[in-house]
Amino acid sequence: MTDQTVASESPLPWWIRGFALDLRSLALFRVSIGLCLLVSLLLRLPEIDAFYSDEGVLPREALIRLRDPFLSLHLISGSWTVQMALFLVAILFATTLTFGYRTRLSAVVSWVLITSMQARNPLVAHGGDNVLRVLLFWSMFLPLDGPREEFDRRRGVLHLSPAGVGLIFQVCAVYWFAFAEKLDPIWLTERSAVYYALHLDMFATPLGAWVRDSPELTRLLTVATIGLEFLGPLLAISPLLTSQLRLVAVVSFIGFHLGLALTMRLGTFPWICSAAWLAFLPSEVWRLWNLASPSKWFRPASSRTGKAGSLVVIGAILTITLLLLAPPLRPASPNEASASGRLLSMMGWTQRWPMFAPHPTTEDGWYVMEGVTKGGTRVDVWGGGTSRHQRPTDFAAAYRDTRWLGYLYLVRSGRYESFRNYFSAYLCREWNARHPDQVDSVLIAFVSERTPPPGVSPPARELQILSDQACP
Amino acid sequence: MRWLRGLYLDLRSVALFRIALGLCVVADILTRIPQIDEFYTDRGVMSREAIFRTLNGTWAISLHFISGQWVVQLILFFAAVVFAVGLVLGYRTRLCAIASWFLVMSVQVRSPLVLHGGDDLLRMLLFWSMFVPLNGRYALDRMLNPSAPQVPATLLSPGSLALIFQICAVYWYTAAEKMHPIWLTERSAVYYALSLDQFATSFGKFLLQFPELLRLLSSSTLILEMFGPLLVVSPIWTARLRLLAVTLFLSFHAGIGLSLHLGLFPWVCAAAWLVFLPGEFWDFLTAKVRRRGVGTVVFFDGNCGFCRNATMILRHALLLEGVVFEEAQSDHAIHARMREGNSWIVRDSDGTLHFGYDAFVTLTRLSPIGRWFAWVVGSSAPRAIGERVYRWISADRNRAARLLARITPPPPRERFGVASNVLALIALVLVEAVLARRPTIKVEAVEETERLLITLVQLGQSWRMFAPYPTLDDGWYVMEGITRDGRRVDIWMGEDHPDYDKPADVWATYKDSQWQKYLTNMWQRGRRQDRDDFGRYLCRTWNERHSGQAQIDLVYVNYMVEWTPEPGKPAAPATKQSVFQYNCTGQAASAAANSQ
């Protein structure tokens, strides 16, 4: 892909200014994305057995029944050892990406391995993983090394290229797609969405639990969220007052995601989104701190600004086409996707951002996973100890982490019903490997708790038996 | 040391082996490409789901698992061809050897039901190739690095020992399995083998008329398998005995290839034997080549590093012997002519001077391989192109030098590192354990690791070619489909009415050696999942080509078993056995009514 970096103080045509990125911001973006990637990989290491091996909750034979057009290098073997080796390679390249060593190669390998890893187990992927994957896609084509003095004395510190435009549109698209999915009365007129979201104890933090009791505040936050998702990205590409408005966008989005992180347990999602916004930091921020003072690198504007315009147009057309061709918001079925849709899906290019949309689920609850031992005692094969049915005091511990939460959330739905037997077999294996008192069968049930509309008293809890199977 | 002479390999033979092995891989992959749909996609007869179930818990790796789509498989096969061509040319040889082994192993792990002995041998030869310097001679790695130090002519290393052991083991272990009266006393084994109509060629059937010859062939096969491999490791008369062994085994495999349809197997075996060609064989050829080259002198511009390099590359590439290479500056008259013509100069044995492209044509005529192409190189169209290329190069030597530098691979290495030799030794120990069918150390943890390592790099092998005796049951498939309007059709041969009479050419009903292996596996040990895949495949392929009432709903797969009678006795008629039936609509459970 051609790229071009132009002097930032040159009078770029007004409509182009919003599509340039500062090389130093891109370098900061690289470091933070690399760190997110590293954390995301390291957190999974103890769970390779459960999520990525044939011994786990989703063996390869089950996965390939799930969806057709996808590619995953992680399918080459079902053994823990080979998966571990792949993870270690991914960690190595995430580290070199963070440090900016052989950056392009590291970005390409990281993208391949993270796309492959996510395709290997789509049940544990959450919004943050999807954002990370598409950010890495654009990273492969971007200069993430930061400015080099002798080079950029000629070329300036502002980067303008189709890939840069792609990254900008991609970040904007995440919010606009999310906004489009939220066109529902609960977000627009009732404004109770944040109330419902925060009432999900599987997500809510103590602060979130405190916030949800204030009806005025939740209504305000609902409006603020949907407003920011629509208008915020516009600020980032504004042709007028570009630097100032971008700074506003970066600060408000990072603030928004910090707020999410404080009120809900969403794993790496808020951090990855914040990392994305760091790429938008305007040059003025760097000048403020007088970091690597760029003034000496600037050179007067040249006739190349005309070419800069065509770069932006090419990038915009390309990116919008890709975004629109990508498997749609609500695919009827993966097999009905068009050829281009299938190809993009193979490359991990599905673009769907239904975050608490159109309506946050009102079904909260917790799992009961009860094993019956050979001696007849009932044990909690999930949390250890004797079986318990009462409401957990600590939902964070009850769901372990966001990956298990994602898995448990999905395996409850009818679509994944046939996968429950792998789950119960996994629970048997896990328990029996660690305890002398072996279990014979495992019952998996969900205690469902519906969030009532504001001001209404909660309905009765409901016990759903998901699976009751003998150990293999 | 004298008594170790039988363990050395000549690097020129290793290079020839490399070329032959690379060609075998190319042929292997090219025969598989038309079969991607049936054998390598999820729609075919071996879905990944079925394979994953059997591999559960092992360390087996296959890159072909990454997708069940036709196009992805095609790309992987294409990559395998590229690396195999690199192996043939000896370009970045080590990388190509490793990649070829990995990709061939991947193909084989993906398609376990179509593998035969030739596949095992090909994979193992590629495996040991990774530990042997394949590019010491006749390789682009060598030719493009003319100034790199010459590698010693003979080779003794853990890798080469393992390669020798592997090739000998194939014959010894199969001979050890053949300790059965049919081979030893009755000597009817070749008769039974050639009576298998699913393998026999018309030549093989023709041989059945000579019972005495068949008995002779039985005993000579067994003797050759037992004692032939000993000839190549003999410490005395090494060269002569090796030449004898290579000749014997090449003709043995040629004979097998002519009388039985065994796919690539004879070719892979023949490639393996080339590695034992003695140095004397090459010395003899070289002496002949040298006689032609003597008297010819090549003059190049001594002040131009690129010119020196390019001439040396040519010397290696054309395998020139006896030709003298000199700097033009050493001879005033020649130097003057060179400056005048702005060209290198070849002076042939008559004293005639050749310039530019013409000089190249002259050298080509002296080359042992190039001479076969000299008439092409010297004809008008290539000459016009060649002269243009020569002018392009001589006009801007710097540009040509940069281009050359860019494509120059790292020079061949004299010997491999300790790590690589240690790996080869470990693998050798594991292979010995596989062949002896016992663990190396009887400790549970070690045994388990060993088992996992063996599947990781696929060292598993068993050499039971027609052992302990050739199978006595032969047969062919008849696959019947029932159309919507109730007609019976032969869905395998695509004929209207299923015909249970013995076909004129039984082999042809199996289509090729991959299908032959698949269908034999289906008959002998087809599992429920495999039958479902096969049934689904049969329904799909028929129904895609037919429409409306001509589509089929039900499939009956039958096998016509025919037992080979004892020599001289009449054959009993074939009997029909049901292998399975399959319901195309998938509504009712696919009943597996097996009469076995």
Side-chain angles (χ1 to χ4, degrees):
Chain A
M1 230 177 249
T2 54
D3 68 330
Q4 193 168 9
T5 316
V6 291
S8 71
E9 282 184 344
S10 65
L12 281 171
W14 61 272
W15 57 278
I16 289 177
R17 279 179 219 153
F19 297 105
L21 294 168
D22 190 288
L23 286 177
R24 292 158 297 183
S25 309
L26 280 175
L28 181 65
F29 164 74
R30 180 203 80 225
V31 174
S32 33
I33 279 297
L35 287 174
C36 288
L37 186 59
L38 262 179
V39 170
S40 170
L41 289 165
L42 289 171
L43 287 175
R44 282 164 212 260
L45 281 186
E47 295 169 350
I48 289 178
D49 184 48
F51 293 140
Y52 302 99
S53 83
D54 279 354
E55 306 274 291
V57 296
L58 188 66
R60 290 178 295 169
E61 60 183 65
L63 171 69
I64 57 172
R65 269 186 271 143
L66 184 62
R67 40 195 287 241
D68 192 25
F70 75 105
L71 268 177
S72 173
L73 200 61
H74 285 66
L75 284 175
I76 60 167
S77 170
S79 75
W80 178 86
T81 321
V82 177
Q83 295 298 314
M84 189 57 154
L86 285 171
F87 268 84
L88 291 179
V89 173
I91 286 172
L92 175 72
F93 281 95
T95 314
T96 56
L97 179 68
T98 312
F99 285 103
Y101 175 75
R102 291 181 173 268
T103 315
R104 179 68 50 98
L105 175 74
S106 306
V108 172
V109 176
S110 292
W111 175 74
V112 168
L113 288 175
I114 207 78
T115 307
S116 160
M117 179 195 85
Q118 294 181 7
R120 172 64 185 84
N121 194 334
L123 269 64
V124 296
H126 55 78
D129 292 323
N130 296 337
V131 177
L132 186 59
R133 189 182 65 233
V134 293
L135 290 179
L136 278 171
F137 174 82
W138 293 109
S139 299
M140 296 193 292
F141 309 105
L142 285 167
L144 297 177
D145 289 324
R148 278 159 299 180
E149 196 173 337
E150 69 286 359
F151 173 73
D152 295 296
R153 187 169 296 179
R154 281 189 295 113
R155 308 192 64 187
V157 288
L158 275 193
H159 175 74
L160 202 56
S161 73
V165 175
L167 180 71
I168 292 173
F169 271 124
Q170 181 65 68
V171 175
C172 296
V174 170
Y175 296 93
W176 283 332
F177 278 94
F179 168 78
E181 299 236 9
K182 287 188 177 123
L183 298 177
D184 185 275
I186 209 157
W187 284 95
L188 297 172
T189 54
E190 283 178 35
R191 298 177 194 163
S192 53
V194 170
Y195 162 87
Y196 282 114
L198 289 178
H199 265 88
L200 296 170
D201 281 315
M202 49 187 181
F203 289 118
T205 65
L207 182 68
W210 179 77
V211 169
R212 72 188 179 199
D213 292 330
S214 159
E216 285 310 315
L217 189 55
T218 54
R219 265 205 288 281
L220 183 67
L221 288 175
T222 309
V223 178
T225 300
I226 195 158
L228 185 65
E229 285 186 342
F230 179 65
L231 294 173
L234 286 176
L235 298 181
I237 53 172
S238 160
L240 301 167
L241 296 171
T242 310
S243 302
Q244 292 86 335
L245 289 180
R246 264 206 188 168
L247 198 56
V248 172
V250 172
V251 171
S252 21
F253 272 107
I254 293 183
F256 169 62
H257 288 296
L258 279 181
L260 282 183
L262 288 173
T263 49
M264 302 181 92
R265 285 185 299 270
L266 296 172
T268 47
F269 175 72
W271 310 110
I272 292 168
C273 293
S274 304
W277 281 103
L278 291 178
F280 288 83
L281 278 178
S283 301
E284 280 70 12
V285 174
W286 300 99
R287 216 168 319 152
L288 195 66
W289 289 329
N290 208 17
L291 284 178
S293 167
S295 56
K296 61 180 179 183
W297 296 333
F298 288 157
R299 52 173 206 117
S302 73
S303 55
R304 268 197 292 166
T305 45
K307 199 176 162 194
S310 60
L311 288 178
V312 172
V313 173
I314 293 170
I317 293 174
L318 203 76
T319 315
I320 293 171
T321 318
L322 278 174
L323 285 171
L324 294 180
L325 279 180
L329 292 176
R330 288 170 201 287
S333 109
N335 295 326
E336 284 170 28
S338 61
S340 57
R342 272 212 297 268
L343 183 69
L344 286 168
S345 153
M346 274 196 201
M347 293 166 62
W349 244 83
T350 26
Q351 297 275 340
R352 237 202 120 190
W353 309 101
M355 284 159 299
F356 296 107
H359 189 301
T361 174
T362 56
E363 190 180 36
D364 194 15
W366 65 92
Y367 275 86
V368 175
M369 303 184 202
E370 189 177 80
V372 182
T373 65
K374 292 202 163 57
T377 48
R378 291 171 184 276
V379 290
D380 179 3
V381 288
W382 180 248
T386 51
S387 178
R388 42 142 205 86
H389 290 244
Q390 70 276 33
R391 196 170 203 279
T393 46
D394 182 5
F395 270 79
Y399 278 101
R400 292 194 185 167
D401 57 42
T402 40
R403 288 164 300 284
W404 273 113
L405 186 136
Y407 173 77
L408 292 173
Y409 182 78
L410 285 177
V411 84
R412 212 161 76 218
S413 71
R415 185 171 172 216
Y416 300 105
E417 193 179 347
S418 63
F419 294 168
R420 290 176 195 158
N421 55 343
Y422 296 110
F423 184 36
S424 72
Y426 168 78
L427 290 172
C428 291
R429 221 174 6 246
E430 279 292 291
W431 177 272
N432 290 343
R434 283 172 180 66
H435 299 84
D437 198 8
Q438 308 269 295
V439 292
D440 273 335
S441 70
V442 164
L443 170 107
I444 302 170
F446 184 68
V447 184
S448 150
E449 215 178 37
R450 294 250 164 218
T451 311
V456 180
S457 61
R461 288 173 190 153
E462 185 192 334
L463 184 79
Q464 305 165 358
I465 306 284
L466 297 178
S467 131
D468 187 3
Q469 295 205 5
C471 288
Chain B
M1 269 175 286
R2 259 189 150 215
W3 56 278
L4 280 180
R5 272 196 307 188
L7 299 179
Y8 278 84
L9 293 179
D10 191 280
L11 275 191
R12 291 165 291 188
S13 313
V14 173
L16 184 63
F17 163 71
R18 180 201 79 223
I19 293 168
L21 190 64
L23 290 174
C24 285
V25 176
V26 172
D28 179 60
I29 301 295
L30 290 183
T31 55
R32 287 172 200 266
I33 285 178
Q35 303 171 328
I36 290 179
D37 187 49
E38 45 265 57
F39 293 138
Y40 303 95
T41 65
D42 284 344
R43 304 175 350 134
V45 297
M46 284 179 283
S47 66
R48 283 182 297 164
E49 199 177 333
I51 309 295
F52 287 155
R53 282 180 204 277
T54 59
L55 289 179
N56 207 346
T58 71
W59 285 7
I61 291 184
S62 170
L63 203 55
H64 284 259
F65 288 148
I66 61 169
S67 167
Q69 305 252 318
W70 183 85
V71 63
V72 178
Q73 298 295 317
L74 183 68
I75 292 169
L76 288 173
F77 279 117
F78 183 71
V81 172
V82 169
F83 285 112
V85 170
L87 194 61
V88 172
L89 299 177
Y91 185 75
R92 296 187 179 269
T93 313
R94 190 118 203 251
L95 171 75
C96 287
I98 293 172
S100 293
W101 166 75
F102 186 68
L103 288 169
V104 164
M105 179 183 80
S106 284
V107 170
Q108 298 187 5
V109 171
R110 174 68 184 85
S111 57
L113 295 178
V114 297
L115 300 186
H116 47 74
D119 292 308
D120 276 348
L121 185 58
L122 182 64
R123 190 188 67 241
M124 288 316 298
L125 292 177
L126 283 168
F127 179 80
W128 298 120
S129 295
M130 298 192 291
F131 303 101
V132 176
L134 297 170
N135 54 359
R137 300 285 188 281
Y138 312 143
L140 280 179
D141 284 345
R142 174 87 245 153
M143 296 164 187
L144 294 174
N145 285 291
S147 48
Q150 189 72 277
V151 187
T154 56
L155 166 75
L156 175 65
S157 73
S160 75
L161 283 178
L163 183 61
I164 296 175
F165 172 75
Q166 178 69 65
I167 297 170
C168 296
V170 171
Y171 298 91
W172 283 331
Y173 280 87
T174 187
E177 299 270 355
K178 286 179 178 156
M179 296 301 136
H180 187 275
I182 285 189
W183 281 100
L184 294 171
T185 53
E186 285 179 30
R187 297 188 282 149
S188 52
V190 171
Y191 159 79
Y192 283 116
L194 292 179
S195 300
L196 293 171
D197 292 321
Q198 51 180 300
F199 288 115
T201 64
S202 41
F203 178 69
K205 286 177 194 158
F206 166 77
L207 287 181
L208 282 175
Q209 305 168 34
F210 311 104
E212 279 310 313
L213 178 67
L214 296 182
R215 268 201 288 281
L216 181 68
L217 288 176
S218 297
S219 24
S220 44
T221 298
L222 195 55
I223 290 170
L224 186 64
E225 287 180 339
M226 278 197 287
F227 302 110
L230 286 176
L231 299 178
V232 299
V233 290
S234 159
I236 50 166
W237 299 335
T238 313
R240 269 168 283 178
L241 290 180
R242 276 200 179 178
L243 204 53
L244 176 67
V246 174
T247 318
L248 284 175
F249 276 101
L250 288 186
S251 13
F252 173 58
H253 288 295
I256 293 179
L258 283 175
S259 43
L260 296 169
H261 291 287
L262 293 174
L264 218 51
F265 182 64
W267 297 97
V268 179
C269 293
W273 282 97
L274 294 179
V275 85
F276 290 117
L277 280 174
E280 284 75 358
F281 169 80
W282 297 102
D283 294 341
F284 171 73
L285 288 186
T286 314
K288 280 183 73 178
V289 173
R290 175 167 289 129
R291 275 202 296 282
R292 297 171 58 93
V294 167
T296 305
V297 187
V298 177
F299 294 100
F300 57 89
D301 183 357
N303 294 331
C304 153
F306 165 73
C307 308
R308 180 190 302 269
N309 238 349
T311 352
M312 291 302 149
I313 288 174
L314 218 55
R315 175 196 200 161
H316 285 288
L318 293 175
L319 308 175
L320 295 176
E321 294 286 344
V323 178
V324 177
F325 286 77
E326 262 186 51
E327 294 185 7
Q329 280 80 352
S330 63
D331 185 325
H332 285 295
I334 292 286
H335 193 212
R337 294 295 303 275
M338 166 174 288
R339 301 248 297 258
E340 189 184 309
N342 189 25
S343 160
W344 66 323
I345 296 173
V346 172
R347 186 174 66 199
D348 64 20
S349 44
D350 304 336
T352 321
L353 300 185
H354 302 270
F355 298 85
Y357 184 74
D358 190 40
F360 172 70
V361 177
T362 312
L363 287 185
T364 311
R365 292 212 179 92
L366 297 177
S367 159
I369 296 172
R371 59 199 270 212
W372 306 105
F373 305 100
W375 63 275
V376 182
V377 177
S379 58
S380 59
R383 190 178 280 272
I385 298 169
E387 276 167 5
R388 179 162 286 194
V389 170
Y390 185 82
R391 274 201 301 278
W392 183 83
I393 292 174
S394 62
D396 190 347
R397 290 166 178 178
N398 284 336
R399 186 173 49 186
R402 274 200 308 277
L403 186 71
L404 183 63
R406 179 169 287 186
I407 60 165
T408 300
R413 280 195 287 174
E414 196 171 321
R415 58 171 67 87
F416 289 165
V418 179
S420 137
N421 285 336
V422 168
L423 279 181
L425 282 176
I426 295 174
L428 186 55
V429 170
L430 290 178
V431 164
E432 196 278 330
V434 167
L435 288 168
R437 294 194 204 137
R438 52 160 174 72
T440 42
I441 306 170
K442 282 203 160 54
V443 177
E444 203 177 316
V446 180
E447 273 181 49
E448 174 68 8
T449 320
E450 221 178 286
R451 201 177 54 78
L452 292 168
L453 281 176
I454 287 167
T455 56
L456 178 72
V457 288
Q458 294 288 306
L459 296 178
Q461 48 186 297
S462 103
W463 308 106
R464 318 180 50 161
M465 278 88 63
F466 299 115
Y469 50 83
T471 164
L472 303 180
D473 61 319
D474 189 16
W476 64 94
Y477 274 87
V478 180
M479 302 183 201
E480 236 181 79
I482 309 293
T483 61
R484 301 240 163 95
D485 51 10
R487 283 181 305 120
R488 295 162 63 217
V489 285
D490 185 338
I491 52 172
W492 184 243
M493 301 306 287
E495 285 156 18
D496 272 350
H497 287 289
D499 182 1
Y500 286 86
D501 293 340
K502 185 169 180 173
D505 186 357
V506 172
W507 157 254
T509 68
Y510 282 96
K511 297 189 177 171
D512 58 42
S513 36
Q514 257 104 28
W515 270 116
Q516 191 274 336
K517 196 70 198 176
Y518 176 82
L519 291 171
T520 309
N521 275 324
M522 191 58 58
W523 163 238
Q524 286 170 350
R525 49 181 163 276
R527 294 162 310 149
R528 171 68 183 279
Q529 170 90 40
D530 299 328
R531 290 169 177 165
D532 283 354
D533 279 348
F534 188 36
R536 198 167 32 104
Y537 168 81
L538 288 172
C539 296
R540 174 172 71 81
T541 44
W542 178 272
N543 287 342
E544 274 173 2
R545 279 178 287 119
H546 298 82
S547 56
Q549 293 297 302
Q551 292 201 331
I552 52 171
D553 279 338
L554 264 178
V555 167
Y556 294 95
V557 175
N558 300 306
Y559 188 62
M560 301 295 292
V561 195
E562 194 185 43
W563 292 89
T564 310
E566 282 176 35
K569 300 220 171 111
T575 52
K576 175 177 153 186
Q577 306 243 14
S578 165
V579 182
F580 69 95
Q581 47 181 290
Y582 186 81
N583 189 333
C584 295
T585 52
Q587 300 297 327
S590 52
N594 191 1
S595 59
Q596 276 178 307

